[in-house]
Amino acid sequence: MKKVKFYKEINSLRALSIIAVLIYHSEISLHGIQLTGGYLGVDVFFVISGFLISNLIYQEYSVKNKINFYKFYIKRARRIFPLIIFCVFFTCLIGYFFLLPDQISDLIKSSISQFLFISNYYFYISGNSYFAISDIYRPLLHFWSLSIEEQFYLLFPIFLILLYKFKIQNFKNLIIIFFSLCFIASLTTFFFKTFSFYSISSRCFEFFAGFICMYLKNNFKKNIANFNIPFLDIAGFLILIFCFFAFDKATFHPSFLTLIPILGCILIILFSDYKRAFYKIFTSYPIQIIGLVSFSLYVWHYPIFIFVKNTGIITGRIDLKIYLILILFCLSIFSYIFVEKPFRNSSFISNKLFFISCIVMLLSSFLIFYKISNISNSHHILDKINLSTNINETKANNTTYSIRKCANKKNNFCQITKNPKSKNIIFLGDSMVQQLIPDFINRNLNINLYDLSYTGMIYLKNYERVIENKITAGQTHHKNRIKLINNLEDKTIILFGRYSYIAKNNNEYKKINNASKLKFDQEFIKSINEILNSKIDKLILIYPSPEYKFNVLTRMKQMFVFDKNGEFIKRNEIYKNKNVFINKNKKIVALLNSIKNKNIIRVYPDKFFCNSQNCFTHNQKDLYYADDVHFSQFQIKNLNNEIIDKLSSVGVI
């Protein structure tokens, strides 16, 4: 069998893709302009894989009329496994110093799922959208695409054999299959956007686009050469650049829109002409080097970016980000020379030695997993701070209350009942009010408690929360809540939520029937007045609290790692200027203040976080937050003490 051709334009396409991914994940911006679609570099990798793998199989099958599966899979294993195992090993070692226990546990699980080729589905099941802030502490999140590659390697050779066996590999049938796969991806994205992003079923059409390129290049070579329209490869390049800037995290993707960057790839693959100047520039030596080390760059870049980013060292500094990318590039060259190349070379490392090496590296990784999961993760400075956060489950009256089971119910709401004659306390709002409930139950007060909370949604008439085209909290939910409130006697409502977040997040919170005349301000006041008109005893109206754009626990640990003298807490405090907090919530506070009723009791949580100038995340003894917005158990107790004191003063409790 003849040696498979090395395509310089494909290698340069790899370089272009990894550069886009690096710029995207490093969040480099110039005059406010960002590469918001840089994540499409991964989709380009899928097209490239579809072309190269199908070409490899085609060359063998056309000569021998069969495929040596063992040889095929061992080559794939040699290419990806050693580097992945090395990355997992060192990421777990570094993660011990930078991550909290639950994040380390997630790191171990994501590592194991990668070894099983299913990390894409693990990240879907265990996390949020790929673009979610909460996933910033998952240093192996980028491995989702490698699992899809591995699944492709396992399934695609079998698919191609069936394609040839049943003789349906003509161009017309291939186009029908391609657009059918694209339709499936679009449909899946419409109904299940996050699942679609992570699933191989929605990426098959991208791999198949590469296969079609291979088919055309091998079967219609003369036709392509005679299709002498100049600059098609330049057009493909410009299309990709356009998509890198035009797409963003809100784009309907993967779907028929993804056909645009796929077209750019196809034009470059099919119509690159080595005689033209563009080809010589596009395949120049520096770009070829980047293409050669692109796999190492991809594997190492994300954990390094995550660890460095969360120290806060390079926030907003373009020069430092560029230095970091240069360091990453040097690391990747080292990794390519001393890890990738030796393990790919069967004459240097035999198959037997390769298997032994992988087993040893895997066992070493599992030893690291065991060690870091059983050793205390706290730092000596953090030992001085009470890191207790939320209690999500508690027992009262022989009844177990669990936020996980009781929150987000649209009917049959959870309740803790003392006796029919007791006063009724109703918790209404989003996760901000949810966090107060377990501690409230633990007080063992003579009250009946009702959990009417819903994550991400306060009580807001004529508004629905829509996630991935699904209504998670809508009018039926609101009607059931107000119906229960109206049916209860001797009731007090505790209302708390991320009001400003809901007011500003237009992508998630939709007006019913697209009623353009509805305004958030009016509906918000109307909803509270409806609650007040339901013959309640008191309404505890909890005002906004300070929020952060990072997990406070993680940030504290990361900042303490290199604090050898143990003086960090005395010298530094993580805080924000109080005016920032005030300005962000000025509109909501004004709305809350405008509601006048003798039954309203106002509670201001910021008094526990802020002085006259700043709002803090901790004091010398206690931490104030459980994540970026929710409170630690220390502050939950403080807020509940305030609420109970106010209720006691008016005879409710």
Side-chain angles (χ1 to χ4, degrees):
M1 184 179 124
K2 64 179 182 179
K3 187 177 180 181
V4 178
K5 180 181 177 182
F6 178 80
Y7 294 93
K8 283 188 174 183
E9 64 272 22
I10 296 290
N11 197 44
S12 294
L13 201 51
R14 280 200 192 105
L16 179 64
S17 302
I18 192 60
I19 289 170
V21 170
L22 289 175
I23 294 174
Y24 176 75
H25 281 149
S26 62
E27 298 179 349
I28 290 176
S29 63
L30 189 61
H31 301 297
I33 300 173
Q34 287 184 293
L35 215 64
T36 54
Y39 60 84
L40 289 172
V42 174
D43 301 86
V44 176
F45 282 133
F46 290 158
V47 177
I48 291 172
S49 291
F51 175 82
L52 293 177
I53 296 304
S54 57
N55 190 50
L56 185 70
I57 295 171
Y58 173 84
Q59 297 296 340
E60 181 176 359
Y61 193 80
S62 61
V63 174
K64 299 183 178 179
N65 204 32
K66 65 177 182 178
I67 297 173
N68 186 331
F69 282 94
Y70 174 78
K71 185 178 179 181
F72 173 80
Y73 288 126
I74 197 68
K75 278 189 175 182
R76 305 283 72 73
R78 282 176 171 275
R79 173 170 173 75
I80 62 176
F81 283 170
L83 187 55
I84 287 176
I85 295 172
F86 268 101
C87 181
V88 166
F89 184 87
F90 286 107
T91 301
C92 287
L93 279 178
I94 298 170
Y96 168 74
F97 296 101
F98 280 84
L99 302 177
L100 296 168
D102 58 335
Q103 294 164 353
I104 286 179
S105 175
D106 176 75
L107 176 59
I108 293 171
K109 291 174 184 176
S110 60
S111 301
I112 293 172
S113 68
Q114 178 58 38
F115 294 151
L116 297 174
F117 313 152
I118 56 170
S119 68
N120 53 327
Y121 294 110
Y122 170 75
F123 288 125
Y124 165 69
I125 293 169
S126 63
N128 301 300
S129 161
Y130 175 74
F131 307 101
I133 288 177
S134 59
D135 279 340
I136 198 173
Y137 305 105
R138 310 182 86 175
L140 297 181
L141 181 61
H142 66 314
F143 274 9
W144 70 271
S145 63
L146 297 183
S147 281
I148 286 182
E149 288 270 4
E150 290 158 351
Q151 292 157 18
F152 164 71
Y153 294 154
L154 289 171
L155 299 174
F156 202 62
I158 300 170
F159 170 77
L160 286 186
I161 287 177
L162 293 175
L163 204 65
Y164 279 93
K165 186 176 180 65
F166 292 101
K167 298 181 179 180
I168 55 174
Q169 73 277 17
N170 64 71
F171 185 66
K172 180 181 177 182
N173 288 336
L174 295 182
I175 291 297
I176 292 172
I177 293 172
F178 173 70
F179 281 105
S180 298
L181 292 172
C182 182
F183 176 75
I184 291 171
S186 301
L187 203 62
T188 308
T189 299
F190 182 79
F191 289 105
F192 312 101
K193 187 172 183 179
T194 300
F195 172 79
S196 184
F197 188 91
Y198 285 115
S199 177
I200 189 173
S201 61
S202 297
R203 303 292 180 165
C204 284
F205 78 105
E206 297 176 335
F207 290 109
F208 205 77
F211 169 65
I212 290 176
C213 285
M214 180 282 302
Y215 179 84
L216 293 173
K217 213 167 180 69
N218 282 285
N219 293 281
F220 298 94
K221 193 171 184 179
K222 290 183 178 179
N223 301 67
I224 293 171
N226 293 331
F227 194 72
N228 195 23
I229 298 178
F231 311 125
L232 285 177
D233 51 351
I234 298 177
F237 175 79
L238 293 176
I239 288 171
L240 281 177
I241 297 300
F242 167 78
C243 291
F244 290 155
F245 283 100
F247 279 55
D248 59 28
K249 62 183 180 181
T251 301
F252 186 56
H253 165 80
S255 69
F256 59 88
L257 288 179
T258 316
L259 294 176
I260 303 172
I262 286 176
L263 174 63
C265 295
I266 291 173
L267 292 176
I268 291 174
I269 293 172
L270 292 182
F271 299 104
S272 288
D273 188 343
Y274 71 93
K275 297 177 182 178
R276 293 193 176 119
F278 173 77
Y279 180 88
K280 295 176 182 178
I281 297 171
F282 188 58
T283 60
S284 60
Y285 184 73
I287 296 175
Q288 289 295 296
I289 294 296
I290 296 173
L292 286 174
V293 301
S294 59
F295 182 55
S296 280
L297 275 168
Y298 186 79
V299 168
W300 289 112
H301 87 281
Y302 197 74
I304 290 174
F305 281 177
I306 288 296
F307 291 138
V308 174
K309 182 178 181 180
N310 287 307
T311 61
I313 295 173
I314 63 171
T315 304
R317 292 284 303 274
I318 294 179
D319 55 338
L320 293 180
K321 289 178 180 180
I322 293 173
Y323 289 142
L324 179 62
I325 290 175
L326 291 175
I327 293 170
L328 177 63
F329 183 67
C330 293
L331 170 64
S332 298
I333 292 176
F334 179 87
S335 176
Y336 174 76
I337 294 173
F338 294 102
V339 179
E340 284 194 71
K341 284 190 72 175
F343 278 99
R344 288 187 199 180
N345 189 345
S346 58
S347 61
F348 184 75
I349 297 178
S350 66
N351 288 341
K352 183 178 180 180
L353 183 58
F354 167 73
F355 283 120
I356 293 172
S357 300
C358 285
I359 290 171
V360 171
M361 288 188 292
L362 278 172
L363 290 176
S364 300
S365 296
F366 282 107
L367 180 62
I368 290 293
F369 297 162
Y370 175 78
K371 289 292 185 182
I372 66 177
S373 63
N374 286 279
I375 298 175
S376 173
N377 178 248
S378 63
H379 188 273
H380 67 285
I381 303 301
L382 293 181
D383 289 338
K384 296 180 180 180
I385 300 179
N386 177 13
L387 288 175
S388 176
T389 56
N390 295 61
I391 296 175
N392 294 317
E393 188 171 296
T394 190
K395 288 187 177 181
N397 245 27
N398 297 318
T399 302
T400 299
Y401 169 84
S402 168
I403 285 182
R404 182 175 58 84
K405 294 178 181 178
C406 288
N408 305 344
K409 301 190 83 172
K410 298 184 179 180
N411 49 43
N412 300 320
F413 301 103
C414 288
Q415 63 185 72
I416 301 292
T417 305
K418 289 288 184 179
N419 64 70
K421 295 182 180 180
S422 296
K423 298 278 182 80
N424 299 304
I425 302 291
I426 301 166
F427 288 84
L428 182 64
D430 57 22
S431 60
M432 298 303 288
V433 85
Q434 286 171 12
Q435 64 183 333
L436 306 179
I437 300 175
D439 175 70
F440 216 95
I441 294 172
N442 283 337
R443 306 293 180 120
N444 203 27
L445 301 167
N446 187 31
I447 55 172
N448 301 321
L449 180 147
Y450 292 83
D451 179 2
L452 271 62
S453 65
Y454 201 98
T455 302
M457 191 58 166
I458 56 175
Y459 180 70
L460 186 61
K461 288 174 64 64
N462 297 320
Y463 273 77
E464 297 174 331
R465 191 185 190 206
V466 180
I467 304 292
E468 296 185 7
N469 299 305
K470 286 186 175 182
I471 298 173
T472 64
Q475 297 309 298
T476 301
H477 177 224
H478 294 328
K479 288 176 182 177
N480 289 338
R481 290 203 281 185
I482 200 67
K483 182 179 178 181
L484 176 61
I485 291 170
N486 285 327
N487 288 337
L488 290 174
E489 301 291 337
D490 296 327
K491 60 207 172 194
T492 292
I493 293 177
I494 299 174
L495 180 65
F496 190 21
R498 298 182 67 191
Y499 316 112
S500 296
Y501 174 82
I502 295 171
K504 293 178 181 178
N505 201 322
N506 296 321
N507 293 327
E508 289 185 12
Y509 301 93
K510 311 289 185 182
K511 303 166 186 176
I512 61 168
N513 302 321
N514 295 318
S516 58
K517 292 183 179 180
L518 291 178
K519 291 184 178 180
F520 174 86
D521 300 11
Q522 296 171 350
E523 296 303 311
F524 181 69
I525 293 175
K526 190 185 297 183
S527 301
I528 294 179
N529 282 330
E530 184 176 35
I531 294 168
L532 289 167
N533 292 333
S534 63
K535 297 180 181 179
I536 62 172
D537 294 335
K538 295 295 176 183
L539 171 61
I540 300 291
L541 206 53
I542 303 178
Y543 276 59
S545 56
E547 298 182 2
Y548 291 83
K549 294 182 178 180
F550 52 83
N551 185 304
V552 173
L553 283 80
T554 305
R555 177 61 60 85
M556 290 186 77
K557 179 173 183 182
Q558 290 162 349
M559 295 181 77
F560 293 156
V561 166
F562 304 107
D563 181 34
K564 302 301 182 184
N565 298 324
E567 297 295 321
F568 181 89
I569 298 177
K570 294 179 181 178
R571 291 186 289 104
N572 301 276
E573 293 169 313
I574 305 174
Y575 66 90
K576 65 167 60 179
N577 187 282
K578 189 174 183 179
N579 286 331
V580 174
F581 161 67
I582 291 173
N583 290 333
K584 179 182 177 182
N585 294 282
K586 184 180 290 185
K587 180 179 178 181
I588 290 297
V589 170
L591 284 175
L592 294 173
N593 288 339
S594 69
I595 304 170
K596 308 296 183 182
N597 191 290
K598 64 180 182 179
N599 291 324
I600 291 179
I601 297 175
R602 304 176 195 271
V603 174
Y604 304 92
D606 61 285
K607 66 186 285 186
F608 302 112
F609 297 86
C610 310
N611 59 24
S612 59
Q613 294 180 318
N614 297 310
C615 297
F616 300 93
T617 61
H618 65 278
N619 59 24
Q620 302 298 308
K621 182 181 177 183
D622 294 288
L623 193 67
Y624 293 170
Y625 289 85
D627 48 37
D628 52 338
V629 297
H630 300 101
F631 304 163
S632 69
Q633 190 62 20
F634 170 73
Q635 290 292 35
I636 287 173
K637 288 181 182 295
N638 285 333
L639 186 56
N640 278 344
N641 287 340
E642 174 92 355
I643 294 169
I644 291 168
D645 286 345
K646 287 183 178 291
L647 290 177
S648 297
S649 67
V650 294
V652 173
I653 294 179

